[in-house]
Amino acid sequence: MPIILTESEAKALLQKVLKYSKADECEVNIMGEERGNIRYARNEVSTSGALINQNLEVQSAFGKKVGVATVDEFSDEAIEKCVRRAEELAQLAPENPEYVGVLGPQTYGKSNGFFDSTAAINPDVRANAVAKSLELTRAQNLTAAGFLENQKGYRAMMNSKGLFAYYPSTNVNFSLTVRTEDGKGSGYVARGYSDVNKLDTAAATNVAIIKSKGSVGARALEPGKYTVILEPTAAVVLLENIFFSMDARSADEGRSFLSKPGGKTKLGEKIVDERVNIYTDPANPDLPSSPWSGDGQPINKMSLIEKGVVKNMFYSRYWAQKNNVKPVPFPSNVIMDGGTATLEEMIKSTKQGILVTKLWYIREVDPQTLLQTGLTRDGTFYIENGVIKYPIKNFRFNESPVIMLNNLETLGKPERVVSTESDRNYLIPPMKIREFTFSSLSDAV
Amino acid sequence: MRPFFFTRIQYTSGNWDTDQRMPSNLLHSLVEYTTIPIDEKEKIVQLISNEIFKSPFCYLSGHKLVEFSSQERDHFKRYVENGGFVFVDDCNHDIDGLFAKSFEQEMERTFGPKALQKIPNNHPIYHSFFKFEDGPPTTSFELNGWGDDLVHDYLKAITINGRIGVLYSNKDYGCEWDYDFRNKRFLAVDNTRFGVNVVVYALMG
């Protein structure tokens, strides 16, 4: 049996698994994927790797007693053993008061996240893509360290009530750090796509090269509040903490930035600038994603924040039932609208400010205000009268993405980015922000 | 009662126009926590102007040189000795920096060599409205790799007849409180509370 199953193969396998079930309810999830990677450092390829994985997960329930077992061998014997094990565990388990049972059949939207171009990537393709990058850095006496990883796979689920879901996808992520020979200049770039034909490693490498050469001889500026232009790679690592924190239960229980005194929440309130629109849309051609969530709920286009107002929070099926509202699944992708300005235009319109290539090592300081801390890295520049004047020493920042989106000056054209923290892909605009708080200097390049 | 108004002192030697959002943020705190009526507009007064004698509270800050002209010095001295209050804040947060050194020299010239003294951390100013049991609250700028990178666990003052006339800080409160007041609602603890203490103390005469 192949690792990556077609829809009909997945359906047949899932039906076979369910035939073994003797539980009141049974839900089965399967996944299969093939990954390949190439890693380079000090201008040489150091590793070339491949990973093949498949997994089957059975969840059995007797009333509210639930057990889960997994297996990665798909023979009849192994499958039956896995189903029995899930049932044994369920019988042993105490009742789970939050178990709400499995969903019946659902209708899902169309989303095309599987590209033959990406699925066809082999070690040669990866080596050639990296060779294009290495030619450029070697020719200019710069040192490159990077990683290119491609993935193709599928997920499918079926349950004893007749629900069936299947979603195949492909992805390629490329990231690169370029250093100058003396180690004093550093540049970074990351690119992620569903379709590898959109990946141009040479063009991406040139971005990191320009930043590395430009960041030699950085001067220290006094930490404080500055107007910043955050490139999407920098902005996304702060913004994704908003997306991750929009769960209704944490808001209701007073644990999140959407909580209000007295057990109330900020749902329906304007919390950021009215130009902020953040939503999920699995059918977006630039960021296709699964039209169904882990528990089988359909994911359709839906606003999270619309014109600055909190439109939706995520409700698990249990919490929705408890509160008499409709469940809202966690999204499979997140998109933020922007404007039409290019990064260059945003720089040109800046009297005084700082261009930030990347923020990294993000850590939460306070979950109730979403205050984060982290550092700039790989190209931080001072802008004066619309031009980049000189590179500056890196800063530590302390800032909440909620405050940041209240201090919004301009949004640029959104682009697909990879979060250096979570490795997820998003569509995020570059943004100009007033009064961004740099709290101290950092000695790192 | 006449509304309280925030006066910023404009002096000739250095950059006096720092922390531009701070005054409205501090005024917002006065509205939020006290019943003191306020004038929403910040007043900028030249130290050489007689207008300074109409202000119950003045603020002076900067990063650079503080060296008063003879008329500025005369006004500053008369204003303080006649019951005025000046809150001086060092934007460099650096006791060896230009602002700190030159301001302290200027105070020596104006009030004598020992006029500027550390005040104890149980001084009434730390209890005038909110309670600060450990003395002056720290700021996020003190250990930031800029300036002297020390936490200054004291404030200094020139005391006239048992009352502070010049309150002097190397903590950079001005920068700490320099943000759009509308974003205050996102802070876990309002960091401008000590500013309310300073104003309330200044007004209590």
Side-chain angles (χ1 to χ4, degrees):
Chain A
M1 198 191 299
I3 294 294
I4 298 176
L5 303 183
T6 62
E7 187 164 353
S8 58
E9 287 169 336
K11 201 176 217 166
L13 176 64
L14 287 163
Q15 282 166 337
K16 181 159 64 171
V17 180
L18 282 168
K19 278 206 178 82
Y20 290 112
S21 172
K22 294 174 181 168
D24 297 345
E25 283 191 334
C26 183
E27 186 162 275
V28 187
N29 274 278
I30 48 171
M31 63 81 74
E33 67 169 351
E34 291 178 16
R35 290 171 180 264
N37 64 60
I38 182 166
R39 185 187 301 277
Y40 54 118
R42 298 171 68 185
N43 277 352
E44 286 179 352
V45 170
S46 56
T47 58
S48 168
L51 173 146
I52 292 172
N53 187 29
Q54 61 177 16
N55 191 270
L56 187 148
E57 181 190 88
V58 179
Q59 175 190 285
S60 299
F62 295 94
K64 282 187 179 286
K65 299 197 301 178
V66 188
V68 175
T70 63
V71 70
D72 60 6
E73 186 191 340
F74 291 1
S75 67
D76 291 4
E77 191 188 3
I79 290 169
E80 186 177 13
K81 205 168 146 187
C82 183
V83 174
R84 293 287 91 82
R85 174 61 56 88
E87 289 169 355
E88 283 165 24
L89 288 167
Q91 296 287 23
L92 288 168
E95 284 205 342
N96 175 1
E98 298 188 5
Y99 180 69
V100 288
V102 297
L103 282 167
Q106 304 288 311
T107 309
Y108 303 119
K110 278 270 167 283
S111 169
N112 302 314
F114 190 94
F115 287 79
D116 292 338
S117 55
T118 314
I121 295 177
N122 58 28
D124 279 350
V125 172
R126 286 193 292 272
N128 285 329
V130 166
K132 284 180 191 154
S133 171
L134 281 172
E135 276 164 22
L136 292 165
T137 52
R138 285 172 181 165
Q140 298 181 60
N141 284 332
L142 299 162
T143 310
F147 189 62
L148 188 152
E149 183 179 41
N150 56 285
Q151 183 264 358
K152 60 178 171 183
Y154 79 98
R155 287 181 176 275
M157 72 185 289
M158 190 182 275
N159 68 30
S160 49
K161 279 191 177 170
L163 178 144
F164 173 67
Y166 174 85
Y167 182 70
S169 66
T170 55
N171 194 75
V172 58
N173 276 8
F174 171 68
S175 62
L176 167 71
T177 304
V178 174
R179 291 273 162 94
T180 53
E181 218 173 0
D182 58 8
K184 289 180 178 164
S186 184
Y188 178 83
V189 69
R191 297 280 184 260
Y193 300 102
S194 306
D195 177 4
V196 71
N197 288 336
K198 291 185 177 176
L199 174 65
D200 182 341
T201 46
T205 301
N206 278 325
V207 170
I209 285 175
I210 289 164
K211 287 192 183 285
S212 71
K213 286 172 151 182
S215 59
V216 176
R219 304 184 208 175
L221 279 194
E222 182 182 7
K225 291 180 190 293
Y226 289 92
T227 292
V228 293
I229 295 174
L230 300 177
E231 293 194 14
T233 302
V236 70
V237 292
L238 294 180
L239 292 174
E240 70 180 350
N241 289 297
I242 291 184
F243 318 150
F244 294 158
S245 307
M246 294 188 75
D247 171 61
R249 188 173 187 171
S250 355
D252 288 338
E253 292 178 343
R255 290 181 282 124
S256 93
F257 82 106
L258 293 176
S259 302
K260 269 169 57 175
K264 294 191 168 60
T265 73
K266 293 178 182 169
L267 185 66
E269 287 187 16
K270 183 173 169 296
I271 59 160
V272 289
D273 188 285
E274 57 273 3
R275 287 167 294 173
V276 175
N277 290 298
I278 296 170
Y279 57 97
T280 179
D281 181 10
N284 184 298
D286 293 318
L287 189 70
S289 67
S290 176
W292 49 274
S293 70
D295 61 357
Q297 291 186 72
I299 301 177
N300 297 309
K301 186 171 179 176
M302 177 187 77
S303 263
L304 306 180
I305 293 174
E306 193 177 299
K307 292 184 178 162
V309 175
V310 182
K311 277 285 173 197
N312 277 294
M313 299 189 293
F314 313 129
Y315 279 87
S316 69
R317 290 177 52 226
Y318 164 74
W319 200 248
Q321 200 176 72
K322 196 173 178 326
N323 288 280
N324 256 330
V325 295
K326 270 181 60 180
V328 179
F330 191 81
S332 53
N333 72 1
V334 180
I335 297 158
M336 179 171 169
D337 279 347
T340 52
T342 62
L343 191 66
E344 288 68 31
E345 287 165 342
M346 289 168 83
I347 293 168
K348 206 172 277 184
S349 67
T350 304
K351 196 168 171 290
Q352 271 188 333
I354 290 170
L355 175 66
V356 180
T357 302
K358 181 183 173 185
L359 297 173
W360 78 298
Y361 217 119
I362 313 298
R363 292 292 176 268
E364 194 167 62
V365 179
D366 176 12
Q368 288 183 314
T369 56
L370 273 193
L371 186 66
Q372 317 280 322
T373 186
L375 298 131
T376 66
R377 198 162 193 186
D378 300 317
T380 311
F381 304 95
Y382 179 63
I383 304 164
E384 198 172 67
N385 298 326
V387 289
I388 291 178
K389 280 280 186 200
Y390 48 80
I392 56 172
K393 265 182 81 166
N394 285 307
F395 286 119
R396 171 165 292 282
F397 70 85
N398 277 63
E399 194 56 86
S400 155
V402 180
I403 292 177
M404 182 172 113
L405 292 180
N406 274 279
N407 293 341
L408 190 60
E409 196 118 319
T410 329
L411 290 174
K413 201 168 169 294
E415 56 185 74
R416 182 159 165 167
V417 286
V418 186
S419 160
T420 53
E421 295 290 311
S422 68
D423 228 22
R424 292 167 187 239
N425 284 223
Y426 299 91
L427 284 179
I428 299 285
M431 46 191 76
K432 195 193 288 190
I433 307 287
R434 287 185 304 275
E435 302 162 39
F436 190 87
T437 311
F438 289 121
S439 49
S440 59
L441 284 161
S442 148
D443 284 328
V445 289
Chain B
M1 186 174 169
R2 246 188 94 191
F4 168 81
F5 55 95
F6 184 101
T7 303
R8 184 191 291 269
I9 293 178
Q10 180 178 351
Y11 54 100
T12 47
S13 61
N15 65 329
W16 53 272
D17 57 343
T18 56
D19 312 326
Q20 289 162 17
R21 289 164 300 253
M22 185 274 265
S24 57
N25 202 357
L26 184 55
L27 292 166
H28 173 264
S29 293
L30 290 173
V31 171
E32 199 171 353
Y33 303 116
T34 75
T35 52
I36 300 167
I38 60 140
D39 183 339
E40 288 169 28
K41 207 168 165 349
E42 173 191 5
K43 215 167 140 184
I44 296 168
V45 173
Q46 292 187 345
L47 192 46
I48 48 170
S49 144
N50 282 326
E51 282 296 299
I52 189 147
F53 297 106
K54 297 176 184 169
S55 297
F57 170 95
C58 291
Y59 174 70
L60 184 149
S61 76
H63 297 84
K64 297 178 184 170
L65 183 73
V66 184
E67 198 172 278
F68 294 155
S69 66
S70 57
Q71 192 177 2
E72 283 179 331
R73 191 167 304 127
D74 172 59
H75 276 197
F76 193 91
K77 190 169 194 292
R78 273 201 292 140
Y79 172 75
V80 170
E81 287 177 346
N82 290 339
F85 183 96
V86 189
F87 176 34
V88 181
D89 189 54
D90 170 8
C91 275
N92 288 328
H93 44 94
D94 179 356
I95 52 174
D96 292 322
L98 177 59
F99 181 91
K101 280 184 159 172
S102 61
F103 173 75
E104 287 170 34
Q105 275 172 357
E106 185 56 53
M107 290 303 99
E108 266 189 45
R109 268 196 297 268
T110 310
F111 296 99
K114 293 222 161 62
L116 202 55
Q117 292 290 336
K118 287 183 183 178
I119 56 170
N121 284 351
N122 59 358
H123 190 282
I125 200 163
Y126 300 121
H127 297 88
S128 61
F129 194 82
F130 293 105
K131 302 279 176 276
F132 294 93
E133 298 302 339
D134 304 321
T138 50
T139 67
S140 53
F141 294 104
E142 290 179 274
L143 296 177
N144 70 359
W146 189 270
D148 57 17
D149 226 15
L150 299 170
V151 172
H152 304 110
D153 55 0
Y154 58 86
L155 297 181
K156 286 182 170 178
I158 293 173
T159 306
I160 309 282
N161 302 328
R163 197 190 144 275
I164 292 177
V166 178
L167 180 70
Y168 170 52
S169 130
N170 298 109
K171 296 178 82 74
D172 204 357
Y173 285 120
C175 286
E176 183 82 350
W177 304 336
D178 179 35
Y179 54 88
D180 190 315
F181 69 90
R182 285 167 297 194
N183 288 333
K184 200 185 283 183
R185 61 200 163 118
F186 297 115
L187 298 182
V189 178
D190 183 346
N191 59 5
T192 64
R193 294 175 314 138
F194 182 60
V196 176
N197 277 42
V198 174
V199 171
V200 169
Y201 178 89
L203 297 185
M204 285 195 308

